[in-house]
Amino acid sequence: MLFEVWAPDAGRVALQWAGDRSAEPAVPLARDTGRAGWWRTEAPARHGDRYAFRIDGGPPRPDPRAARLPDGPGGPGAVVEHGRFAWRHPWPGRPLPGAVLYELHIGTFTPEGTFDAAAARLGHLADLGITHVSLMPVCPFPGTHGWGYDGIAPWAVHEPYGGPDGLKRFVDAAHGHGLGIVLDVVHNHLGPSGNHLPEFGPYFTDTHHTPWGTAVNLDAPGSDEVRRYLVGSALGWLRDYRADGLRLDAVHALHDGRARHFLAELSAAVDALAGHLRRPLFLVAESDLNDPRTTAPRTGGGHGLHAQWNDDFHHALHTALTGESHGYYADFARAPLAALAKTLTGGFFHDGGYSSFRGRAHGAPLDLRATPPYRLLGYAQTHDQIGNRALGDRLTARLSPGLLACGAALVACAPFTPMLFMGEEWGARTPWQYFTDHTDPELAEAVRAGRRREFAAQEGSAPANGGRPAADWPDPQDPATRDRCVLDWTEPATEPHASLLAWYRTLLALRRDRPALTDPDPARTRVTYDEEGRWLLLRRGPLGLAVNLAARGTAAVPVAGAARRAAARTPAFRALAGWPEPLLPDEGGVLRLAAGSVAVVESEEAEWEE
């Protein structure tokens, strides 16, 4: 078997056996004459054998490309022969257009917190109408429980979740239910605990800095191999684990001053792999830049990613539903329905105008004819937007079932690709709080203190903290914090959760069955609203979604258009869905909605006239 490692500054490198073979002598590696900085050797090995590398006689360190770290971060790697796994379900792939994503955290989706336990619940997602499961990071991180964004080994799988074979069993089971898999990967930083990459080479650079410390080296000397390291990791998830897409964490923190951005290099490699495998593959960016270049074609100077999260839609929807106005919600809270209407028809709210939160202009206009709306993900809740609140409180903690139903309908009927956060579909009351399991006491205390500072800066005086003092905020290192976040699977059988779950199923069935709801033409999405009356009407071709977000009172929502009402030519409508019940417009073409209610109707004509 070939063992190789990039260690450009090393004087000598040795392969050190571990585990059952720890008594065997080390095997020296020779310089690779064809690749500068690389070392290689051939040695007999089999699946599961444990090994490490020693640089210049130093302590054994895990292979940066190890696919398995059975003892966790910092421990020896183990040989993984991917071809040994027996896949049961052939998989042609599932593309992004028409998708509905479901963000899931393996460690809290079930009490067991494993791939196998989560796989047993996949039938629930298929019945719900989900098309892709979007897994939060699964690379190794310290301890047992954590969000996963402190991973240290981009080629390996967290052992407590089930390791490489556990992930493959989960993916295979998902494919058996017709579900695609999206993996959340972190290229902008690596966690500090157990991270020995700097001993091998210049994986990091002081040229740039991120909120998490020294930046990954994408443009300084040695960055060619670092970029290959990250691209190789990404392709491995898609090839060896049969994932359908990757969610790229915080791409705005990928500091790269080279002429060809790392993201363009990555997207080109993924597109090439899709052609080789003959199945669709896609990349979804999390970006704070509101930059159309993120998804613009590479031929036009863009990065060529296939989609990006749309936080502007979330922020507008959140302020419209909750009335919150602190932090980054301030820009949206001035006129939340206008902000919501702007995102529904234009994609970005911040498209070059002034942002009071940032104290400067932000973003650029997005041409939805060149970048169809489905290439933006729309959502009411995510792990970030819930977990970065001091109490990790979901919308369920603040909204009535009616307003939750309104939010669900706006996400499902928007022109974007919808995404739900686990448990949202039944209005889960379990919080989603920030939790860690650092084994280093100093690091644990630093994370604890840092998180409290962040909470205080973001919402210390906001209603979102529940009026509780900072001393009562959850301790990330307390095991009880993670335990509170585990979904309660008895809830869906009780009210109001059962009714809300049925509502989500209805909405996702509509999205699947009504072509207008997946129509990529932005010209066929129109919005009217009344800021004071707190109602909004979203039209997608012949379909109309009307919501009344007011706390009290009935909203009169004109769905037929003034010209038609004046001419007494109100078109006929079908009631498709509604909360608490389906409704039809009256003879004057007006929908009369109670507070916290929603109606989805369909015109018998192809389009509605204004």
Side-chain angles (χ1 to χ4, degrees):
M1 178 174 287
L2 175 64
F3 291 87
E4 55 184 356
V5 66
W6 180 59
D9 298 325
R12 63 184 191 279
V13 180
L15 172 67
Q16 178 71 60
W17 299 111
D20 293 342
R21 302 183 64 178
S22 58
E24 297 183 27
V27 180
L29 278 70
R31 293 185 185 275
D32 187 331
T33 57
R35 293 186 296 170
W38 280 84
W39 300 74
R40 57 181 289 158
T41 190
E42 294 276 353
R46 60 187 183 279
H47 182 80
D49 282 352
R50 301 190 183 190
Y51 70 101
F53 291 120
R54 301 184 69 171
I55 307 295
D56 294 328
R61 299 303 190 201
D63 179 359
R65 285 172 166 76
R68 185 183 174 206
L69 297 178
D71 298 325
V79 172
V80 173
E81 296 177 3
H82 289 294
R84 288 171 51 99
F85 186 82
W87 295 92
R88 296 176 301 149
H89 303 290
W91 183 244
R94 193 156 190 175
L96 184 64
V100 179
L101 274 63
Y102 186 93
E103 191 181 27
L104 186 157
H105 177 259
I106 288 294
T108 52
F109 190 60
T110 66
E112 297 88 346
T114 64
F115 291 123
D116 289 339
R121 295 284 184 180
L122 288 173
H124 164 81
L125 303 184
D127 292 343
L128 177 61
I130 299 301
T131 66
H132 293 76
V133 179
S134 184
L135 292 182
M136 288 176 62
V138 298
C139 292
F141 54 84
T144 300
H145 298 298
W147 280 20
Y149 294 95
D150 286 327
I152 55 87
W155 292 61
V157 181
H158 193 50
E159 198 71 13
Y161 287 170
D165 280 358
L167 175 57
K168 290 173 184 175
R169 288 193 298 271
F170 180 86
V171 173
D172 198 31
H175 289 168
H177 286 284
L179 298 168
I181 294 293
V182 179
L183 290 181
D184 193 336
V185 297
V186 184
H187 292 157
N188 52 63
H189 76 288
L190 281 83
S193 181
N195 180 5
H196 299 293
L197 287 180
E199 299 177 41
F200 286 89
Y203 282 90
F204 303 93
T205 175
D206 290 327
T207 306
H208 309 289
H209 291 275
T210 75
W212 311 283
T214 304
V216 173
N217 178 17
L218 298 176
D219 58 6
S223 59
D224 286 354
E225 288 295 349
V226 177
R227 292 161 77 105
R228 293 187 188 107
Y229 174 75
L230 296 176
V231 170
S233 164
L235 298 182
W237 299 121
L238 301 169
R239 180 190 60 245
D240 301 328
Y241 293 90
R242 298 194 178 184
D244 299 272
L246 303 176
R247 184 258 189 191
L248 309 178
D249 181 63
V251 300
H252 49 270
L254 293 170
H255 299 291
D256 183 6
R258 293 171 60 162
R260 189 190 194 198
H261 196 279
F262 167 74
L263 291 175
E265 184 176 333
L266 175 61
S267 68
V270 169
D271 287 347
L273 181 63
H276 175 72
L277 296 178
R278 297 184 180 180
R279 61 181 173 92
L281 303 172
F282 56 86
L283 298 172
V284 180
E286 179 202 18
S287 175
D288 187 40
L289 300 178
N290 280 26
D291 186 349
R293 289 175 295 183
T294 303
T295 50
R298 294 185 298 276
T299 53
H303 300 329
L305 302 186
H306 307 90
Q308 62 179 301
W309 281 26
N310 188 3
D311 274 355
D312 280 10
F313 172 70
H314 168 273
H315 298 347
L317 179 58
H318 186 92
T319 56
L321 291 171
T322 68
E324 290 185 5
S325 59
H326 62 283
Y328 46 65
Y329 294 132
D331 289 324
F332 301 83
R334 291 184 177 87
L337 293 184
L340 186 55
K342 183 176 180 179
T343 62
L344 286 166
T345 54
F348 292 159
F349 174 78
H350 289 302
D351 55 4
Y354 183 78
S355 165
S356 64
F357 173 69
R358 294 172 177 84
R360 58 168 176 80
H362 183 62
L366 183 67
D367 183 355
L368 291 181
R369 293 167 298 179
T371 301
Y374 75 81
R375 295 180 65 188
L376 297 176
L377 268 60
Y379 36 82
Q381 301 181 79
T382 70
H383 79 272
D384 265 335
Q385 301 302 337
I386 303 171
N388 287 332
R389 301 169 68 85
L391 300 183
D393 47 323
R394 297 170 179 258
L395 287 176
T396 316
R398 300 181 301 289
L399 300 182
S400 66
L403 285 179
L404 291 173
C406 290
L410 286 164
V411 170
C413 296
F416 314 125
T417 294
M419 183 177 74
L420 313 183
F421 181 66
M422 61 177 198
E424 173 186 340
E425 69 273 22
W426 71 71
R429 295 193 177 277
T430 49
W432 172 252
Q433 297 170 343
Y434 183 68
F435 53 88
T436 55
D437 194 16
H438 291 296
T439 54
D440 181 340
E442 291 186 7
L443 179 59
E445 182 53 38
V447 168
R448 182 183 293 117
R451 198 66 178 179
R452 289 177 183 270
R453 285 194 301 270
E454 291 177 15
F455 288 151
Q458 292 174 3
E459 57 177 64
S461 60
N465 68 16
R468 291 164 58 179
D472 292 340
W473 291 349
D475 176 0
Q477 282 287 119
D478 185 347
T481 303
R482 175 265 173 184
D483 294 345
R484 280 191 294 270
C485 300
V486 175
L487 288 179
D488 179 356
W489 284 92
T490 68
E491 285 184 334
T494 64
E495 292 294 348
H497 307 290
S499 294
L500 194 60
L501 178 58
W503 174 241
Y504 270 87
R505 285 177 174 151
T506 296
L507 291 171
L508 296 187
L510 278 178
R511 187 171 183 89
R512 181 189 64 238
D513 297 337
R514 291 300 196 276
L517 292 180
T518 52
D519 188 340
D521 184 357
R524 301 195 59 171
T525 295
R526 301 182 182 182
V527 179
T528 53
Y529 62 92
D530 184 328
E531 198 77 63
E532 291 189 9
R534 299 272 296 152
W535 61 260
L536 181 143
L537 173 65
L538 168 64
R539 288 181 290 167
R540 305 284 315 280
L543 269 70
L545 162 68
V547 296
N548 179 2
L549 305 182
R552 60 185 63 85
T554 299
V557 182
V559 298
R564 291 218 163 192
R565 294 199 309 276
R569 290 191 299 111
T570 303
F573 287 92
R574 289 181 287 269
L576 298 182
W579 182 285
E581 59 186 2
L583 290 176
L584 281 169
D586 61 21
E587 293 182 356
V590 175
L591 266 172
R592 302 192 181 277
L593 293 176
S597 65
V598 52
V600 183
V601 298
E602 182 177 45
S603 170
E604 292 186 354
E605 300 180 4
E607 295 285 351
W608 293 355
E609 291 185 6
E610 295 289 345

